[in-house]
Structure formats: structure tokens, C-alpha cells
Amino acid sequence: MDTIIIYDISDDLLRARVARTLMEYGCMRIQKSAFYGFLNHNTRDKLRLRLERLMQGEEGNIQLYPMCSRCFGMRDSVGELYEIEEENVRVI
């Protein structure tokens, strides 16, 4: 199922660990604090548990939004799309 993951984490090291974890689960960054991945129910639950362990006692918030492919297909955007690779931003 298409899943959008967004987060608001002020600690740089924790934010980097969360981003790295999302990429390990096959998610791709779509904005600085937003990722997209196609995750089945079990994988999404495992990811959520891993993120909960990372956030244990830390300040911040992570939200996962699963959605059907039809709803995801109706998404729209304004402005240029870009990919973030480490610290480099590349306009697509």
C-alpha cells in the first residue's frame, strides 16, 4: 500500500537515523521531512515498531499515512519536484 511518512524532529542525529531507517525499508525522500514507500501491512508495522524504538524518550513526531493506490494517484503538487541525496538537492 502506498504510504507517506512525515516527521518533525529537531535533533539532527535522530532525524538522520530516522531518514536512514526509512531508506532501509525502501522509502524514498520526497521532501526534506517526507518519504514515500510502497509498504504492505506487515512491513509497515515492523517499520512503525522500529521507529518507536528510535523515538523512545526523544522529542519529535513521526506520522505514517497509508492510502490506496487510487487515492495516491490523485495526488497533485505545485512547484518543482526534487530529490535529496544526502545534503545535495537535485531538481527533477
Side-chain angles (χ1 to χ4, degrees):
M1 179 168 275
D2 294 291
T3 305
I4 299 292
I5 303 103
I6 60 172
Y7 53 85
D8 184 13
I9 300 170
S10 58
D11 182 86
D12 292 340
L13 292 175
L14 177 59
R15 191 172 54 247
R17 285 194 309 258
V18 167
R20 197 169 30 255
T21 298
L22 293 170
M23 287 186 268
E24 287 172 9
Y25 275 77
C27 298
M28 66 178 197
R29 191 185 297 262
I30 56 175
Q31 290 199 353
K32 289 184 179 182
S33 296
F35 280 77
Y36 161 79
F38 191 82
L39 307 170
N40 65 34
H41 179 76
N42 290 336
T43 302
R44 194 171 49 255
D45 281 349
K46 288 178 186 177
L47 173 59
R48 184 183 50 77
L49 290 172
R50 187 161 168 199
L51 293 172
E52 283 179 4
R53 284 193 301 272
L54 282 174
M55 293 297 294
Q56 190 70 31
E58 300 289 340
E59 190 173 316
N61 178 277
I62 304 171
Q63 299 180 38
L64 290 85
Y65 293 92
M67 60 185 69
C68 70
S69 294
R70 182 172 180 246
C71 292
F72 185 77
M74 294 187 321
R75 74 190 180 285
D76 204 354
S77 66
V78 176
E80 295 182 37
L81 296 177
Y82 62 93
E83 289 180 355
I84 299 177
E85 299 171 1
E86 297 301 316
E87 295 302 316
N88 301 318
V89 177
R90 180 170 58 106
V91 176
I92 303 174

